[in-house]
Amino acid sequence: MAAPGPRLRLEAAFSFLLLLAGVQALVPSHRLAARDLARLRAVLERPFTDVRTAYYSIVGLSSLGVRVADEKAACKFIKSHVDSSSVESLFYAAQAMQVLSGCEVTISNETRELLLAAVSEDSTVTQIFHAVGALSGFGLPLASQEALSALTARLSKEESVLATIQALETASYLSQQADLSSIVEEIEDLVARLDDLGGVYLQFEEGIETTALFVAAAYKLSDHVGTEPAIKEDQVIQLMNAIFSKKNFETLSEAFSVARAAGSLSQNRFHLPIVVVPDGPAAVSHHQPVLRLQVTNVMSQILTQVSVKLDQAKSVSSKATVLQQLPFTLSGDFFELNFMNVKPASGYYDFSISVDGDKRFIANKVELKVKVSTEVGITNVDLSTVDKDQSIAPKTTRVAYPAKAKGSFTADSHQNFALSFQLIDVNSGAELTPHQTFVRLHNQKTGQEVVFVAEPDSKNVYKFELDTSERKTEFDSASGTYTLYLIIGDATLENPILWNVADVVITFPEEDAPSTVQSKNLFVPKPEIQHLFREPEKRPPTVVSNTFTALVLSPLLLLLILWIKIGANISNFSFAPSTIVFHMGHAAMLGLMYVYWTQLNMFQTLKYLAILGGITFLAGNRMLAQKAVKRIAAEQSSRLAKYRTLR
């Protein structure tokens, strides 16, 4: 197997850091829920097309605890479609018929000899697996030790994951008297070849189907020999998460493998993963004081012969333990606990729950976050108009929720407006401090809204005071009548509040008032942004540009002078049409580069270049071909003349 890549090493390091940080134990994050089982059954119940699909459907449904609808018809189909000359076809038929009740077939001596001959070192692991499985399914005798020797020898030559998995299942068909320890040890080797994905999933790089077949084969062999497989409990959960994360099945073989794994994880002698799920949201309140849990296996089959106990319930905010060592009571298919008997404060609580009743249980220590909801009440709501100079006593009006205060209140340069209130738990009378407590002021004319946060003091009394001189920026100095709303919300509140408390007339000094009062509507077109591009840099003087151009062209002038003085050899130049077109096309492309620099853009240039380039290419190819013909003819003439001279 290839060494783990950087991504897997990074994921492993991240998982280790999370472990050091004290994260909760690994728990199943995927299972076969009722809708998943329905999809799985729908795939497995498709009509048979051959013996192989019949095997997948019949054995897959059997793993889920379901029988085929018409066993007699299934048996008849297998008998009519089995190929007695194919070891693979015989395997599928034997294993499927073994599941069907009353489905038997007589095996000829030729078929038996064919199967026994396939159990050889010369056969592949797959052929040995099919042959041994067919012999076992038909109830034919088999020399287990000889089959084991052939399997072991062949396995040493085939090191693929699938071949090793087939070897595990082959060994489960052999006699327990044979020494199967060498095959059993392959389970640990296969576990070492699994890829760990983020500490949550564990699977082979070959995919979910191969991973599911491994789980089924490993537990089948372990049950057969009575030895616990070398798979750790956390690894079982990771395998379970990987296999059952698949919700849609594209092929029948994929559905078959998942069904086999589900059956193995639901019924084996060593490891039984369980899943604890709440009935609806994990929340309680005075109206619904009972927390209801359901315990199931990986196939959502309800387990009632177990005991469920709350080890401890700890407040998330205060870290205080409010309840511990209390059993749940069984009521029908659910385990119930009345958590509100201890009168917990509203908030979130971490439940540590344990499930006992079978030593094979794994993932039976569960951490569950439970929400305790309540209702909020508003008391001692006082609205006041306070004189800034304190020359006049404050005018206070008490309002009872949900009524609106009569009349209006004033806030201007001479007096402030103040609001104070308390929040309590309606059920217990205790003081509450919700996460969201806002005061919203809405301008009745312009629609402008301003929101403030109401903060509690040391006595948990919420206070809000509006000073127009300090708050004019938030209001854009827009005077008018504002509707005051009180907003209270929290995830643990059953009755979030939006209360129209009163009308407040806010007056700002006239010199601070905006010329035009605009609605504070966020969904209006914004002013167009006029972007100013950077001005081009100043060009150099014309003399400099001309001098540079002359220097660049001077080598060409020198070339022409040398040609005139020395003499240019153009004797090989022919005035054939292809030659003229080629040179004109080449010159045209050079001219196109100049036009591109001065006038055209890239896309226009590419269009013209494609036309000129095509013509130039064809003309150049024709020109070179003509020169090659002339050269070959000249060479032949030279050789013929030399030959005549020698004669």
Side-chain angles (χ1 to χ4, degrees), residues 28 71 147 175 196 268 275 280 316 334 364 368 411 449 465 467 474 514 533 544 586 588 602:
E71 294 194 3
S175 171
D196 189 326
N268 67 77
V275 181
V316 174
F334 294 90
N364 59 331
L368 184 66
E449 290 185 351
E465 186 169 353
D467 188 338
E474 288 91 333
F533 291 92
V544 176
H586 194 267
M602 180 180 294

mmCIF file of all heavy atoms in Angstrom, residues 28 71 147 175 196 268 275 280 316 334 364 368 411 449 465 467 474 514 533 544 586 588 602:
data_model
loop_
_atom_site.group_PDB
_atom_site.id
_atom_site.type_symbol
_atom_site.label_atom_id
_atom_site.label_comp_id
_atom_site.label_asym_id
_atom_site.label_seq_id
_atom_site.Cartn_x
_atom_site.Cartn_y
_atom_site.Cartn_z
ATOM 1 N N PRO A 28 -21.102 6.896 16.673
ATOM 2 C CA PRO A 28 -21.597 6.709 15.303
ATOM 3 C C PRO A 28 -22.285 7.968 14.783
ATOM 4 O O PRO A 28 -23.143 8.537 15.450
ATOM 5 C CB PRO A 28 -22.592 5.550 15.448
ATOM 6 C CG PRO A 28 -22.182 4.835 16.692
ATOM 7 C CD PRO A 28 -21.642 5.884 17.606
ATOM 8 N N GLU A 71 -40.063 -17.444 -2.981
ATOM 9 C CA GLU A 71 -38.869 -18.274 -2.903
ATOM 10 C C GLU A 71 -38.897 -19.395 -3.933
ATOM 11 O O GLU A 71 -37.853 -19.778 -4.468
ATOM 12 C CB GLU A 71 -38.716 -18.844 -1.494
ATOM 13 C CG GLU A 71 -38.441 -17.785 -0.434
ATOM 14 C CD GLU A 71 -37.959 -18.388 0.872
ATOM 15 O OE1 GLU A 71 -37.785 -19.607 0.928
ATOM 16 O OE2 GLU A 71 -37.742 -17.620 1.830
ATOM 17 N N ALA A 147 -7.366 -27.431 1.072
ATOM 18 C CA ALA A 147 -7.877 -26.163 0.559
ATOM 19 C C ALA A 147 -7.168 -24.984 1.213
ATOM 20 O O ALA A 147 -6.853 -23.982 0.558
ATOM 21 C CB ALA A 147 -9.382 -26.071 0.793
ATOM 22 N N SER A 175 -13.322 -26.224 7.712
ATOM 23 C CA SER A 175 -13.555 -26.853 9.011
ATOM 24 C C SER A 175 -12.806 -26.115 10.113
ATOM 25 O O SER A 175 -11.690 -25.619 9.903
ATOM 26 C CB SER A 175 -13.104 -28.317 8.957
ATOM 27 O OG SER A 175 -13.129 -28.891 10.239
ATOM 28 N N ASP A 196 -7.472 6.437 7.277
ATOM 29 C CA ASP A 196 -8.197 7.195 8.294
ATOM 30 C C ASP A 196 -8.516 8.579 7.727
ATOM 31 O O ASP A 196 -7.618 9.337 7.382
ATOM 32 C CB ASP A 196 -7.342 7.319 9.559
ATOM 33 C CG ASP A 196 -8.120 7.896 10.731
ATOM 34 O OD1 ASP A 196 -8.999 8.749 10.499
ATOM 35 O OD2 ASP A 196 -7.855 7.502 11.881
ATOM 36 N N ASN A 268 -23.225 -10.432 15.595
ATOM 37 C CA ASN A 268 -21.957 -11.148 15.661
ATOM 38 C C ASN A 268 -21.635 -11.396 17.129
ATOM 39 O O ASN A 268 -22.325 -10.900 18.021
ATOM 40 C CB ASN A 268 -20.835 -10.374 14.948
ATOM 41 C CG ASN A 268 -20.468 -9.085 15.649
ATOM 42 O OD1 ASN A 268 -19.779 -9.085 16.674
ATOM 43 N ND2 ASN A 268 -20.945 -7.954 15.108
ATOM 44 N N VAL A 275 -26.788 2.770 18.753
ATOM 45 C CA VAL A 275 -27.041 4.174 18.460
ATOM 46 C C VAL A 275 -28.133 4.657 19.407
ATOM 47 O O VAL A 275 -29.184 4.015 19.525
ATOM 48 C CB VAL A 275 -27.478 4.381 17.000
ATOM 49 C CG1 VAL A 275 -27.701 5.862 16.714
ATOM 50 C CG2 VAL A 275 -26.443 3.802 16.041
ATOM 51 N N GLY A 280 -37.196 13.205 18.624
ATOM 52 C CA GLY A 280 -37.325 14.611 18.266
ATOM 53 C C GLY A 280 -36.137 15.396 18.786
ATOM 54 O O GLY A 280 -35.075 14.840 19.091
ATOM 55 N N VAL A 316 -23.782 23.642 30.935
ATOM 56 C CA VAL A 316 -22.728 24.117 30.040
ATOM 57 C C VAL A 316 -22.173 25.452 30.525
ATOM 58 O O VAL A 316 -20.970 25.696 30.458
ATOM 59 C CB VAL A 316 -23.270 24.249 28.603
ATOM 60 C CG1 VAL A 316 -22.234 24.885 27.684
ATOM 61 C CG2 VAL A 316 -23.681 22.888 28.063
ATOM 62 N N PHE A 334 -39.346 3.459 24.084
ATOM 63 C CA PHE A 334 -38.511 4.592 24.469
ATOM 64 C C PHE A 334 -38.105 4.495 25.934
ATOM 65 O O PHE A 334 -38.826 3.923 26.772
ATOM 66 C CB PHE A 334 -39.248 5.913 24.223
ATOM 67 C CG PHE A 334 -39.511 6.218 22.779
ATOM 68 C CD1 PHE A 334 -40.678 5.791 22.161
ATOM 69 C CD2 PHE A 334 -38.584 6.913 22.027
ATOM 70 C CE1 PHE A 334 -40.920 6.069 20.823
ATOM 71 C CE2 PHE A 334 -38.814 7.200 20.696
ATOM 72 C CZ PHE A 334 -39.979 6.770 20.092
ATOM 73 N N ASN A 364 -21.437 2.688 23.564
ATOM 74 C CA ASN A 364 -22.533 2.729 24.545
ATOM 75 C C ASN A 364 -22.331 3.815 25.602
ATOM 76 O O ASN A 364 -23.087 3.880 26.568
ATOM 77 C CB ASN A 364 -22.678 1.377 25.224
ATOM 78 C CG ASN A 364 -21.416 0.927 25.941
ATOM 79 O OD1 ASN A 364 -20.314 1.291 25.549
ATOM 80 N ND2 ASN A 364 -21.568 0.131 26.981
ATOM 81 N N LEU A 368 -24.695 13.786 25.121
ATOM 82 C CA LEU A 368 -25.851 14.402 24.481
ATOM 83 C C LEU A 368 -26.069 15.792 25.061
ATOM 84 O O LEU A 368 -26.077 15.957 26.285
ATOM 85 C CB LEU A 368 -27.096 13.534 24.710
ATOM 86 C CG LEU A 368 -28.387 13.974 24.023
ATOM 87 C CD1 LEU A 368 -28.251 13.875 22.510
ATOM 88 C CD2 LEU A 368 -29.561 13.114 24.504
ATOM 89 N N ALA A 411 -38.271 63.325 24.063
ATOM 90 C CA ALA A 411 -36.823 63.391 24.252
ATOM 91 C C ALA A 411 -36.303 64.512 23.372
ATOM 92 O O ALA A 411 -36.496 64.497 22.157
ATOM 93 C CB ALA A 411 -36.174 62.062 23.891
ATOM 94 N N GLU A 449 -34.976 53.235 11.079
ATOM 95 C CA GLU A 449 -34.913 52.407 12.281
ATOM 96 C C GLU A 449 -33.544 52.514 12.923
ATOM 97 O O GLU A 449 -32.522 52.491 12.230
ATOM 98 C CB GLU A 449 -35.204 50.941 11.959
ATOM 99 C CG GLU A 449 -36.642 50.660 11.576
ATOM 100 C CD GLU A 449 -36.905 49.174 11.396
ATOM 101 O OE1 GLU A 449 -35.927 48.407 11.409
ATOM 102 O OE2 GLU A 449 -38.077 48.782 11.253
ATOM 103 N N GLU A 465 -31.267 54.588 28.169
ATOM 104 C CA GLU A 465 -31.525 56.026 28.258
ATOM 105 C C GLU A 465 -31.155 56.675 26.934
ATOM 106 O O GLU A 465 -30.075 56.428 26.388
ATOM 107 C CB GLU A 465 -30.742 56.657 29.406
ATOM 108 C CG GLU A 465 -31.089 58.129 29.615
ATOM 109 C CD GLU A 465 -30.506 58.691 30.911
ATOM 110 O OE1 GLU A 465 -29.941 57.905 31.705
ATOM 111 O OE2 GLU A 465 -30.598 59.917 31.121
ATOM 112 N N ASP A 467 -30.299 60.049 25.112
ATOM 113 C CA ASP A 467 -29.861 61.437 25.189
ATOM 114 C C ASP A 467 -29.675 61.926 23.762
ATOM 115 O O ASP A 467 -28.797 61.457 23.030
ATOM 116 C CB ASP A 467 -28.546 61.534 25.973
ATOM 117 C CG ASP A 467 -28.141 62.983 26.250
ATOM 118 O OD1 ASP A 467 -28.601 63.879 25.517
ATOM 119 O OD2 ASP A 467 -27.356 63.197 27.197
ATOM 120 N N GLU A 474 -26.652 58.516 15.345
ATOM 121 C CA GLU A 474 -27.402 57.317 14.978
ATOM 122 C C GLU A 474 -28.714 57.664 14.290
ATOM 123 O O GLU A 474 -29.179 56.942 13.402
ATOM 124 C CB GLU A 474 -27.687 56.453 16.213
ATOM 125 C CG GLU A 474 -26.474 55.722 16.769
ATOM 126 C CD GLU A 474 -25.751 56.544 17.827
ATOM 127 O OE1 GLU A 474 -25.843 57.796 17.779
ATOM 128 O OE2 GLU A 474 -25.093 55.950 18.690
ATOM 129 N N PRO A 514 -31.097 67.329 9.047
ATOM 130 C CA PRO A 514 -30.643 67.169 7.659
ATOM 131 C C PRO A 514 -31.543 67.928 6.704
ATOM 132 O O PRO A 514 -32.718 68.155 6.976
ATOM 133 C CB PRO A 514 -30.738 65.658 7.426
ATOM 134 C CG PRO A 514 -31.799 65.197 8.380
ATOM 135 C CD PRO A 514 -31.676 66.084 9.588
ATOM 136 N N PHE A 533 -9.415 56.924 -14.046
ATOM 137 C CA PHE A 533 -8.224 56.173 -14.378
ATOM 138 C C PHE A 533 -6.983 57.063 -14.253
ATOM 139 O O PHE A 533 -7.055 58.287 -14.393
ATOM 140 C CB PHE A 533 -8.308 55.626 -15.809
ATOM 141 C CG PHE A 533 -9.335 54.549 -15.966
ATOM 142 C CD1 PHE A 533 -10.634 54.866 -16.344
ATOM 143 C CD2 PHE A 533 -9.010 53.221 -15.718
ATOM 144 C CE1 PHE A 533 -11.585 53.874 -16.489
ATOM 145 C CE2 PHE A 533 -9.954 52.229 -15.861
ATOM 146 C CZ PHE A 533 -11.239 52.546 -16.241
ATOM 147 N N VAL A 544 14.305 61.472 -29.188
ATOM 148 C CA VAL A 544 14.741 60.245 -28.511
ATOM 149 C C VAL A 544 14.106 59.028 -29.167
ATOM 150 O O VAL A 544 14.761 58.000 -29.416
ATOM 151 C CB VAL A 544 14.390 60.318 -27.009
ATOM 152 C CG1 VAL A 544 14.752 59.004 -26.321
ATOM 153 C CG2 VAL A 544 15.114 61.479 -26.343
ATOM 154 N N HIS A 586 4.567 35.235 -45.296
ATOM 155 C CA HIS A 586 5.466 35.511 -44.175
ATOM 156 C C HIS A 586 5.590 37.012 -43.941
ATOM 157 O O HIS A 586 5.563 37.498 -42.795
ATOM 158 C CB HIS A 586 6.824 34.886 -44.463
ATOM 159 C CG HIS A 586 7.707 34.808 -43.263
ATOM 160 N ND1 HIS A 586 8.619 35.782 -42.950
ATOM 161 C CD2 HIS A 586 7.810 33.876 -42.276
ATOM 162 C CE1 HIS A 586 9.245 35.473 -41.840
ATOM 163 N NE2 HIS A 586 8.770 34.300 -41.404
ATOM 164 N N ALA A 588 3.361 39.213 -44.814
ATOM 165 C CA ALA A 588 2.067 39.704 -44.333
ATOM 166 C C ALA A 588 1.914 39.478 -42.825
ATOM 167 O O ALA A 588 1.339 40.307 -42.109
ATOM 168 C CB ALA A 588 0.933 39.016 -45.102
ATOM 169 N N MET A 602 -6.165 41.680 -29.531
ATOM 170 C CA MET A 602 -5.632 40.327 -29.637
ATOM 171 C C MET A 602 -6.581 39.401 -30.408
ATOM 172 O O MET A 602 -6.152 38.580 -31.234
ATOM 173 C CB MET A 602 -5.362 39.757 -28.238
ATOM 174 C CG MET A 602 -4.807 38.337 -28.242
ATOM 175 S SD MET A 602 -4.502 37.709 -26.598
ATOM 176 C CE MET A 602 -3.173 38.793 -26.086
#
